[in-house]
């Protein structure tokens, strides 16, 4: 509560004005408790006039965002395979952020399978707190199963699959998500058996090692090289990200070109990481352009159905290019718009902006989709990503006129075919990120 009192004093004593001034007092608040962070978020978002700029700092989430931006999830995806299988060894704060953000960045198609396997010896004591990221109704889909290791020995595993059957469908989405939480110690023999079984069933495409003990982590990397080895391989062929305490150059020590490190002091507990300016500035610009196009598209929809032809795209491009020149000369408008947003909406814009790299890879690098010929499929991808973001922020579906931030319900959390029937007027906005992508290619 001292934090809230401090924020209240900052609000009263702030010498800054909200009238067109982008130099707001910057306040960064770190909270390891999700409930307290939510209380702070609601306090700030309910202010009628915001005379300071508040950022709830989650240093692990910021480091994870940087990790996925520098080492994308799709690196190991070949040909037409868009399924993702992430392994997370160690489920502390960094591992938990890796899972939540990883779901957002793993949406490579509308129908793909996203599987995330978590390995931690303390999973029984961790999972209760982690599941608070979701609506309490998500517990209906959580199962506890026994995994056989060898004759006479088994271990516990929690499994959460989405979507799962509820009436109405509270967590509707296209594709499939399967998260498994294994209660296993990576330093013990049975971890190797479980890990190998998971990899044999569905090869891992991305690994994150976030163990607390450096020696155990070093031994685990050696074992993983053996477990992932395929005949003819000279190195591990998927990204392996290691969270380290010191500035250890694991990649050169192990001679692995796909082994990368996240350094605690440089990438997590640093001013650059805390302020997160590069990613935040990209999100500010993305949000500004999204709002600009929202107004343009809304204007079109009043008169006629939108046809994505060359004429329409040219008009979109001209709007964005003219705006880019204006913003380049004066960023005040961009900063003011960001300042007036709720913290939740900022987080949503950051997640959407980060996923632009995935969309760019799909459309321009891999050439899996055409902006002109695959419009609805691209909309489905963005809608699925948005569903994942909302569900991992505690939201669920409710048939209503609009979202309820306090009840954490939203009428658009649904499968694409349901959305087309219940909320057809929202479909076009799922394509807006691709308009921005075309101009920024």
């Amino acid at each position: 509560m001292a934090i809230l009192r401090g924020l209240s004093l900052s609000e009263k004593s702030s010498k800054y004005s909200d009238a067109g001034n982008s130099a707001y007092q910057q306040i960064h608040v770190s909270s390891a408790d999700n409930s307290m962070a939510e209380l702070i978020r609601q306090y700030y978002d309910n202010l009628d006039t915001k005379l300071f700029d508040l950022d709830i700092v989650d240093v692990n989430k910021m480091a994870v965002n940087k990790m996925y931006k520098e080492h994308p999830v799709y690196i190991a995806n070949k040909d037409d395979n868009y399924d993702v299988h992430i392994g997370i060894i160690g489920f502390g704060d960094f591992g938990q952020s890796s899972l939540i953000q990883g779901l957002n960045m793993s949406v490579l198609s509308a129908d793909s399978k996203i599987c995330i396997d978590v390995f931690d010896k303390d999973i029984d004591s961790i999972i209760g707190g982690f599941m608070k990221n979701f609506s309490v109704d998500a517990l209906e889909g959580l199962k506890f199963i026994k995994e056989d290791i060898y004759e006479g020995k088994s271990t516990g595993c929690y499994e959460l699959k989405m979507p799962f059957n509820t009436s109405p469908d509270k967590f509707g989405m296209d594709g499939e998500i399967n998260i498994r939480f294994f209660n296993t110690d990576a330093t013990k023999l049975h971890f190797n058996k479980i890990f190998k079984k998971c990899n044999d069933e569905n090869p891992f495409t991305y690994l994150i090692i976030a163990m607390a003990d450096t020696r155990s982590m070093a031994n685990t990397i050696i074992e993983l090289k053996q477990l992932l080895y395929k005949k003819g391989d000279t190195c591990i062929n998927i990204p392996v990200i290691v969270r380290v305490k010191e500035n250890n150059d694991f990649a050169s020590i192990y001679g692995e070109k796909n082994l990368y490190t996240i350094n605690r002091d440089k990438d997590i507990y640093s001013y650059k990481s805390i302020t997160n300016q590069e990613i935040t500035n990209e999100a500010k610009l993305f949000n500004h352009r999204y709002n600009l196009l929202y107004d343009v598209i809304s204007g079109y929809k009043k008169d006629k159905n939108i046809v994505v032809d060359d004429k329409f795209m040219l008009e979109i491009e001209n709007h964005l290019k003219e705006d880019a020149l204006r913003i380049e000369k004066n960023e005040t408008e961009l900063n003011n718009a960001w300042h007036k947003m709720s913290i939740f909406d900022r987080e949503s814009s950051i997640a959407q902006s980060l996923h632009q790299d995935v969309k760019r890879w799909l459309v321009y690098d891999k050439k899996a989709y055409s902006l002109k010929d695959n419009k609805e499929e691209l909309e489905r991808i963005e809608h699925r990503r948005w569903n994942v973001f909302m569900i991992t922020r505690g939201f669920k579906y409710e048939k209503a006129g609009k979202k309820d931030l306090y009840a954490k319900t939203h009428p658009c959390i649904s499968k694409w075919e349901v959305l087309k029937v219940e909320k057809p007027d929202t479909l076009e906005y799922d394509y807006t990120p691709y308009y921005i992508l075309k101009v920024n290619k």
Side-chain angles (χ1 to χ4, degrees):
M1 300 310 293
I3 294 175
L4 294 180
R5 285 195 294 270
L7 292 177
S8 179
L9 288 173
S10 295
E11 174 71 12
K12 293 175 181 178
S13 63
S14 177
K15 63 183 179 180
Y16 297 96
S17 168
D18 195 30
N21 190 345
S22 63
Y24 301 100
Q25 182 180 9
Q26 299 291 312
I27 299 178
H28 301 281
V29 177
S30 178
S31 175
D33 184 278
N34 286 338
S35 298
M36 179 54 70
E38 181 63 24
L39 189 62
I40 296 170
R41 183 181 291 109
Q42 289 183 13
Y43 168 83
Y44 180 77
D45 289 347
N46 284 332
L47 292 174
D48 292 329
T49 302
K50 298 177 175 65
L51 301 180
F52 60 91
D53 208 40
L54 178 66
D55 180 28
I56 299 178
V57 176
D58 185 332
V59 290
N60 286 287
K61 182 169 73 174
M62 292 174 180
V64 165
N65 284 341
K66 181 174 181 288
M67 174 185 76
Y68 284 125
K69 189 169 183 63
E70 294 181 355
H71 314 294
V73 169
Y74 55 73
I75 290 176
N77 286 81
K78 308 297 181 185
D79 302 320
D80 295 327
N81 179 20
Y82 299 106
D83 292 344
V84 172
H85 189 187
I86 298 177
I88 301 175
I89 305 170
F91 205 49
D93 292 337
F94 187 85
Q96 292 177 44
S97 289
S98 296
L99 194 158
I100 294 295
Q101 302 303 100
L103 287 172
N104 183 73
M105 300 305 292
S106 295
V107 178
L108 308 185
S109 84
D111 300 309
S112 60
K113 180 177 180 179
I114 302 171
C115 180
I116 300 183
D117 287 329
V118 176
F119 308 92
D120 196 289
K121 62 183 176 63
D122 297 317
I123 207 70
D124 285 335
S125 61
I126 296 173
I127 192 167
F130 173 75
M131 287 300 296
K132 289 185 178 180
N133 287 291
F134 300 83
S135 164
V136 67
D137 292 329
L139 292 175
E140 297 175 28
L142 188 67
K143 297 179 180 179
F144 183 78
I145 58 179
K146 288 285 187 179
E147 283 285 335
D148 292 331
I149 303 172
Y150 44 79
E151 188 174 350
K153 180 67 175 178
S154 62
T155 188
C157 169
Y158 297 90
E159 183 177 62
L160 177 64
K161 286 187 176 182
M162 287 189 176
F164 57 88
N165 292 328
T166 61
S167 183
D169 193 352
K170 299 174 185 175
F171 306 101
M173 68 172 74
D174 294 319
E176 179 183 337
I177 289 176
N178 186 18
I179 309 173
R180 297 182 292 189
F181 306 87
F182 292 94
N183 190 19
T184 182
D185 187 341
T187 65
K188 305 299 183 184
L189 181 62
H190 61 261
F191 163 78
N192 294 13
K193 184 71 178 291
I194 296 170
F195 184 91
K196 185 177 185 303
K197 182 180 178 182
C198 292
N199 190 57
D200 289 344
E201 291 173 351
N202 178 20
F204 285 102
T205 59
Y206 202 95
L207 284 180
I208 299 163
I209 305 174
M211 300 168 68
D213 181 61
T214 302
R215 181 179 177 183
S216 298
M217 182 164 52
N219 290 334
T220 299
I221 294 172
I222 294 173
E223 292 171 355
L224 289 177
K225 288 182 67 173
Q226 297 172 341
L227 292 169
L228 294 169
Y229 175 79
K230 294 180 182 178
K231 192 172 182 179
D233 284 351
T234 58
C235 64
I236 299 175
N237 288 321
I238 64 172
V240 179
I241 317 298
V242 184
R243 194 278 315 271
V244 297
K245 295 179 181 179
E246 297 83 21
N247 192 22
N248 294 324
D249 191 0
F250 274 90
S252 61
I253 293 172
Y254 287 91
E256 291 288 340
K257 66 177 183 180
N258 292 318
L259 185 66
Y260 310 100
T261 57
I262 294 292
N263 182 273
R264 184 185 63 181
D265 296 331
K266 179 171 67 73
D267 297 314
I268 301 178
Y269 299 115
S270 67
Y271 178 78
K272 184 177 181 181
S273 176
I274 289 172
T275 55
N276 207 27
Q277 284 304 307
E278 181 181 351
I279 289 174
T280 301
N281 286 339
E282 288 182 6
K284 286 181 181 180
L285 184 58
F286 177 89
N287 172 71
H288 174 79
R289 289 177 170 174
Y290 186 96
N291 290 336
L292 177 73
L293 291 181
Y294 184 96
D295 293 339
V296 172
I297 293 170
S298 296
Y300 261 76
K301 290 176 73 172
K302 289 179 181 178
D303 303 322
K304 57 184 178 180
N305 292 326
I306 294 178
V307 178
V308 186
D309 54 15
D310 292 340
K311 182 180 178 181
F312 178 79
M313 289 306 300
L314 182 61
E315 184 164 343
I316 290 292
E317 288 181 41
N318 288 337
H319 271 288
L320 290 178
K321 286 177 181 177
E322 290 172 7
D323 183 70
L325 292 173
R326 182 170 58 84
I327 292 298
E328 188 176 324
K329 296 177 181 177
N330 184 4
E331 295 183 356
T332 300
E333 179 183 344
L334 188 145
N335 291 328
N336 282 347
W338 186 258
H339 169 75
K340 293 174 183 177
M341 292 172 67
S342 70
I343 293 176
F344 176 82
D345 286 340
R346 291 183 196 175
E347 292 173 351
S348 179
S349 285
I350 289 173
Q352 196 173 24
S353 175
L354 285 169
H355 197 262
Q356 287 293 90
D357 289 342
V358 175
K359 294 181 176 73
R360 186 175 293 106
W361 173 74
L362 287 170
V363 173
Y364 294 115
D365 297 342
K366 197 170 178 61
K367 301 187 186 305
Y369 301 98
S370 162
L371 291 176
K372 185 176 182 180
D373 300 329
N374 305 118
K375 182 173 181 288
E376 182 168 344
E377 190 64 19
L378 291 170
E379 289 173 338
R380 287 183 64 213
I381 292 173
E382 169 56 18
H383 181 64
R384 184 192 184 193
R385 185 214 61 79
W386 178 85
N387 276 347
V388 168
F389 173 83
M390 295 295 286
I391 290 170
T392 55
R393 267 62 182 180
F395 281 76
K396 64 181 179 180
Y397 167 84
E398 181 181 67
K399 192 170 184 177
K402 59 181 181 179
K403 67 182 177 184
D404 187 328
L405 283 174
Y406 293 103
K408 288 201 167 184
T409 59
H410 202 295
C412 294
I413 299 176
S414 63
K415 294 182 178 180
W416 181 254
E417 293 303 321
V418 175
L419 188 73
K420 288 170 68 175
V421 174
E422 295 188 355
K423 288 286 184 179
D425 57 315
T426 67
L427 303 179
E428 191 63 41
Y429 302 110
D430 282 318
Y431 194 75
T432 302
Y434 300 98
Y435 292 131
I436 298 172
L437 190 70
K438 180 172 173 57
V439 174
N440 291 346
K441 67 178 180 178

